[in-house]
Short mmCIF file of all heavy atoms in Angstrom, two decimals:
data_model
loop_
_atom_site.label_atom_id
_atom_site.label_comp_id
_atom_site.label_asym_id
_atom_site.label_seq_id
_atom_site.Cartn_x
_atom_site.Cartn_y
_atom_site.Cartn_z
N GLY G 10 -38.53 25.09 -13.49
CA GLY G 10 -37.60 26.13 -13.39
C GLY G 10 -38.27 27.51 -13.52
O GLY G 10 -37.59 28.51 -13.89
N SER G 11 -39.53 27.63 -13.21
CA SER G 11 -40.25 28.88 -13.44
C SER G 11 -39.78 29.96 -12.53
O SER G 11 -39.31 29.78 -11.40
CB SER G 11 -41.76 28.66 -13.25
OG SER G 11 -42.03 28.09 -11.97
N LEU G 12 -39.83 31.21 -13.06
CA LEU G 12 -39.35 32.38 -12.35
C LEU G 12 -40.48 33.01 -11.49
O LEU G 12 -41.37 33.64 -12.00
CB LEU G 12 -38.84 33.40 -13.36
CG LEU G 12 -38.35 34.74 -12.84
CD1 LEU G 12 -37.19 34.56 -11.89
CD2 LEU G 12 -38.01 35.69 -13.99
N GLY G 13 -40.39 32.80 -10.19
CA GLY G 13 -41.35 33.42 -9.27
C GLY G 13 -40.68 34.50 -8.44
O GLY G 13 -39.51 34.83 -8.63
N SER G 14 -41.42 35.02 -7.52
CA SER G 14 -40.93 36.17 -6.73
C SER G 14 -39.75 35.78 -5.90
O SER G 14 -38.77 36.56 -5.77
CB SER G 14 -42.07 36.73 -5.84
OG SER G 14 -43.15 37.12 -6.65
N VAL G 15 -39.78 34.65 -5.26
CA VAL G 15 -38.67 34.22 -4.44
C VAL G 15 -37.44 33.86 -5.30
O VAL G 15 -36.30 34.22 -4.99
CB VAL G 15 -39.05 33.04 -3.47
CG1 VAL G 15 -37.81 32.61 -2.71
CG2 VAL G 15 -40.13 33.50 -2.55
N THR G 16 -37.68 33.19 -6.42
CA THR G 16 -36.59 32.91 -7.33
C THR G 16 -35.93 34.17 -7.79
O THR G 16 -34.67 34.32 -7.82
CB THR G 16 -37.12 32.14 -8.60
OG1 THR G 16 -37.92 31.03 -8.14
CG2 THR G 16 -35.98 31.66 -9.43
N GLY G 17 -36.72 35.19 -8.17
CA GLY G 17 -36.20 36.48 -8.60
C GLY G 17 -35.39 37.17 -7.51
O GLY G 17 -34.35 37.75 -7.74
N GLU G 18 -35.93 37.08 -6.26
CA GLU G 18 -35.22 37.70 -5.10
C GLU G 18 -33.86 37.03 -4.88
O GLU G 18 -32.88 37.75 -4.65
CB GLU G 18 -36.09 37.57 -3.90
CG GLU G 18 -35.47 38.12 -2.60
CD GLU G 18 -35.33 39.65 -2.66
OE1 GLU G 18 -35.97 40.30 -3.49
OE2 GLU G 18 -34.57 40.15 -1.80
N LEU G 19 -33.81 35.72 -5.00
CA LEU G 19 -32.55 35.03 -4.79
C LEU G 19 -31.54 35.42 -5.83
O LEU G 19 -30.34 35.66 -5.54
CB LEU G 19 -32.80 33.52 -4.79
CG LEU G 19 -33.60 32.96 -3.61
CD1 LEU G 19 -34.00 31.50 -3.85
CD2 LEU G 19 -32.83 33.06 -2.31
N ILE G 20 -31.92 35.43 -7.09
CA ILE G 20 -31.01 35.80 -8.18
C ILE G 20 -30.58 37.23 -8.01
O ILE G 20 -29.40 37.56 -8.26
CB ILE G 20 -31.66 35.52 -9.55
CG1 ILE G 20 -31.97 34.01 -9.73
CG2 ILE G 20 -30.73 35.98 -10.68
CD1 ILE G 20 -32.75 33.70 -10.96
N THR G 21 -31.48 38.13 -7.69
CA THR G 21 -31.15 39.52 -7.47
C THR G 21 -30.15 39.70 -6.37
O THR G 21 -29.18 40.47 -6.47
CB THR G 21 -32.42 40.35 -7.22
OG1 THR G 21 -33.30 40.24 -8.33
CG2 THR G 21 -32.07 41.83 -7.01
N ARG G 22 -30.39 38.97 -5.25
CA ARG G 22 -29.42 39.10 -4.13
C ARG G 22 -28.07 38.54 -4.55
O ARG G 22 -27.05 39.05 -4.08
CB ARG G 22 -29.99 38.31 -2.94
CG ARG G 22 -31.20 38.98 -2.29
CD ARG G 22 -31.51 38.35 -0.98
NE ARG G 22 -32.73 38.95 -0.37
CZ ARG G 22 -33.11 38.72 0.88
NH1 ARG G 22 -32.39 37.94 1.69
NH2 ARG G 22 -34.21 39.26 1.37
N ALA G 23 -28.05 37.51 -5.36
CA ALA G 23 -26.77 36.98 -5.83
C ALA G 23 -26.01 38.08 -6.65
O ALA G 23 -24.82 38.24 -6.50
CB ALA G 23 -26.99 35.75 -6.70
N ALA G 24 -26.76 38.75 -7.53
CA ALA G 24 -26.13 39.82 -8.33
C ALA G 24 -25.65 40.96 -7.41
O ALA G 24 -24.55 41.51 -7.63
CB ALA G 24 -27.15 40.35 -9.35
N GLU G 25 -26.42 41.29 -6.40
CA GLU G 25 -26.04 42.35 -5.45
C GLU G 25 -24.83 41.94 -4.67
O GLU G 25 -23.91 42.77 -4.37
CB GLU G 25 -27.18 42.70 -4.59
CG GLU G 25 -28.31 43.42 -5.30
CD GLU G 25 -29.58 43.57 -4.46
OE1 GLU G 25 -29.71 42.90 -3.37
OE2 GLU G 25 -30.49 44.35 -4.88
N HIS G 26 -24.71 40.66 -4.32
CA HIS G 26 -23.51 40.19 -3.60
C HIS G 26 -22.31 40.25 -4.51
O HIS G 26 -21.18 40.64 -4.07
CB HIS G 26 -23.74 38.70 -3.16
CG HIS G 26 -22.65 38.15 -2.37
ND1 HIS G 26 -22.55 38.36 -1.02
CD2 HIS G 26 -21.55 37.41 -2.67
CE1 HIS G 26 -21.47 37.76 -0.51
NE2 HIS G 26 -20.83 37.17 -1.55
N ALA G 27 -22.45 39.91 -5.81
CA ALA G 27 -21.35 40.02 -6.74
C ALA G 27 -20.88 41.49 -6.87
O ALA G 27 -19.68 41.81 -6.89
CB ALA G 27 -21.80 39.50 -8.11
N LEU G 28 -21.86 42.42 -6.88
CA LEU G 28 -21.51 43.82 -6.99
C LEU G 28 -20.77 44.34 -5.75
O LEU G 28 -19.72 45.02 -5.81
CB LEU G 28 -22.80 44.69 -7.19
CG LEU G 28 -22.61 46.19 -7.31
CD1 LEU G 28 -21.77 46.53 -8.51
CD2 LEU G 28 -23.94 46.85 -7.35
N ALA G 29 -21.26 43.92 -4.59
CA ALA G 29 -20.65 44.41 -3.32
C ALA G 29 -19.23 43.85 -3.16
O ALA G 29 -18.37 44.51 -2.54
CB ALA G 29 -21.54 43.97 -2.14
N ASN G 30 -18.98 42.67 -3.70
CA ASN G 30 -17.69 42.00 -3.49
C ASN G 30 -16.82 42.07 -4.79
O ASN G 30 -15.77 41.45 -4.84
CB ASN G 30 -17.88 40.51 -3.05
CG ASN G 30 -18.44 40.51 -1.66
OD1 ASN G 30 -17.74 40.55 -0.70
ND2 ASN G 30 -19.77 40.41 -1.57
N ARG G 31 -17.35 42.76 -5.85
CA ARG G 31 -16.62 42.90 -7.09
C ARG G 31 -16.17 41.56 -7.67
O ARG G 31 -15.02 41.33 -7.99
CB ARG G 31 -15.47 43.87 -6.96
CG ARG G 31 -15.87 45.29 -6.61
CD ARG G 31 -14.81 46.32 -6.98
NE ARG G 31 -14.54 46.34 -8.43
CZ ARG G 31 -15.26 46.95 -9.32
NH1 ARG G 31 -16.44 47.54 -8.98
NH2 ARG G 31 -14.95 46.93 -10.61
N LEU G 32 -17.20 40.71 -7.81
CA LEU G 32 -16.97 39.38 -8.37
C LEU G 32 -17.78 39.20 -9.64
O LEU G 32 -18.83 39.77 -9.81
CB LEU G 32 -17.41 38.28 -7.37
CG LEU G 32 -16.54 38.14 -6.11
CD1 LEU G 32 -17.23 37.20 -5.15
CD2 LEU G 32 -15.14 37.59 -6.42
N PRO G 33 -17.31 38.35 -10.57
CA PRO G 33 -18.10 38.03 -11.75
C PRO G 33 -19.36 37.24 -11.35
O PRO G 33 -19.38 36.59 -10.27
CB PRO G 33 -17.19 37.16 -12.59
CG PRO G 33 -15.81 37.37 -12.04
CD PRO G 33 -16.01 37.69 -10.59
N LEU G 34 -20.38 37.33 -12.18
CA LEU G 34 -21.64 36.64 -11.93
C LEU G 34 -21.91 35.65 -13.09
O LEU G 34 -21.85 36.02 -14.24
CB LEU G 34 -22.82 37.62 -11.88
CG LEU G 34 -24.16 37.01 -11.71
CD1 LEU G 34 -24.38 36.32 -10.37
CD2 LEU G 34 -25.27 38.08 -11.89
N LEU G 35 -22.19 34.39 -12.73
CA LEU G 35 -22.55 33.35 -13.68
C LEU G 35 -23.97 32.94 -13.42
O LEU G 35 -24.31 32.53 -12.29
CB LEU G 35 -21.62 32.14 -13.56
CG LEU G 35 -22.04 30.88 -14.35
CD1 LEU G 35 -22.04 31.17 -15.86
CD2 LEU G 35 -21.12 29.72 -14.00
N LEU G 36 -24.82 33.02 -14.44
CA LEU G 36 -26.21 32.60 -14.36
C LEU G 36 -26.38 31.37 -15.24
O LEU G 36 -26.06 31.42 -16.43
CB LEU G 36 -27.12 33.71 -14.83
CG LEU G 36 -27.04 35.04 -14.07
CD1 LEU G 36 -27.91 36.14 -14.79
CD2 LEU G 36 -27.49 34.91 -12.66
N VAL G 37 -26.89 30.28 -14.68
CA VAL G 37 -27.16 29.06 -15.44
C VAL G 37 -28.68 28.92 -15.53
O VAL G 37 -29.35 28.75 -14.52
CB VAL G 37 -26.49 27.83 -14.81
CG1 VAL G 37 -26.76 26.58 -15.66
CG2 VAL G 37 -25.01 28.06 -14.59
N THR G 38 -29.19 29.02 -16.75
CA THR G 38 -30.67 29.06 -16.89
C THR G 38 -31.23 27.73 -17.37
O THR G 38 -30.64 27.01 -18.19
CB THR G 38 -31.04 30.17 -17.89
OG1 THR G 38 -30.52 29.86 -19.17
CG2 THR G 38 -30.55 31.50 -17.44
N ALA G 39 -32.38 27.36 -16.86
CA ALA G 39 -33.18 26.23 -17.29
C ALA G 39 -34.56 26.53 -16.82
O ALA G 39 -34.90 26.33 -15.62
CB ALA G 39 -32.61 24.92 -16.71
#
């Protein structure tokens, strides 16, 4: 579950999608 550049990009895009659509964001970490 290590955090690499692509992993970070995907999570960041998910957060940006939540912001653009005014939706809550759930992060499940492992």
Side-chain angles (χ1 to χ4, degrees):
S11 54
L12 177 62
S14 300
V15 176
T16 310
E18 178 68 16
L19 292 170
I20 298 173
T21 299
R22 290 191 183 192
E25 291 170 347
H26 185 84
L28 179 63
N30 293 275
R31 297 201 61 78
L32 290 171
L34 175 68
L35 170 64
L36 303 172
V37 183
T38 63

